[in-house]
Structure formats: structure tokens, C-alpha cells
Amino acid sequence: MKIVGVAACTVGIAHTYIAQEKMENAGKKAGHEIAIETQGTIGTENELSSQQIQEADIVILAADVKIAGRERFEGKRIIQVPTDVAVKSPNKLIKKAEEVLKQKQAQ
């Protein structure tokens, strides 16, 4: 499964980057390709390419604030959670993404 996403917390410092790292580690551990863009105090980093977004099976938005460029994900299956979920339960979040994708494929 190919996963892309955005991490963005209210302060834009710690939780943004911790959420990115935890989601990427959990996704890779589960055998998925994953790329997470961060939107923090210093701007956007690891910006997702249009190709990465197009090829993605699912999008995870771990955000406590409005993210810039959300329209890029129109037409994609999106899971939106607070950054706390990505920080505290990244493996469960990846499992949820797998379940959502299975449900979509079953339809």
C-alpha cells in the first residue's frame, strides 16, 4: 500500500515532527511505502509531489490545524486524526488505514 500524509500541530514544532517520524516508521514496519509532509513553524518540508499523491492508495492527515494545500488530496480516501493519535498510536493508525482501504476495495 502507498500512503502519503501531512503532519501539522498547533505550535508547529515537536508534535509535527514526532508524528511524521512515528507514522513513517509504523508504515515501513508494516511493509508499506509512506511519505509524510510536515507543515511546521519553518514552513512545509518533505513536500509531497503530485506523482506521490496520485499514486497513493490512502492519505493520512495528522493535523490539529488547517493544512495548506488540502485540495491536492481531492478524490483520495482520507483519514484525518489529531497529531496525538499519530504520536501515541501510530501502529493502530496504519492498521486503520489498511482497514479503510480494504473496505473501499470490497465495494
Side-chain angles (χ1 to χ4, degrees), residues 6-13 16-17 37-45:
V6 177
C9 71
T10 50
V11 179
I13 303 173
T16 298
Y17 301 100
E37 172 180 298
T38 57
Q39 295 184 10
T41 53
I42 58 174
T44 299
E45 294 179 279

Side-chain angles (χ1 to χ4, degrees), residues 4-7 20 23-24 34-38 45-46 48 60:
V4 296
V6 177
Q20 173 205 18
M23 286 190 293
E24 286 181 346
I34 183 165
I36 304 295
E37 172 180 298
T38 57
E45 294 179 279
N46 305 315
L48 298 168
I60 299 175

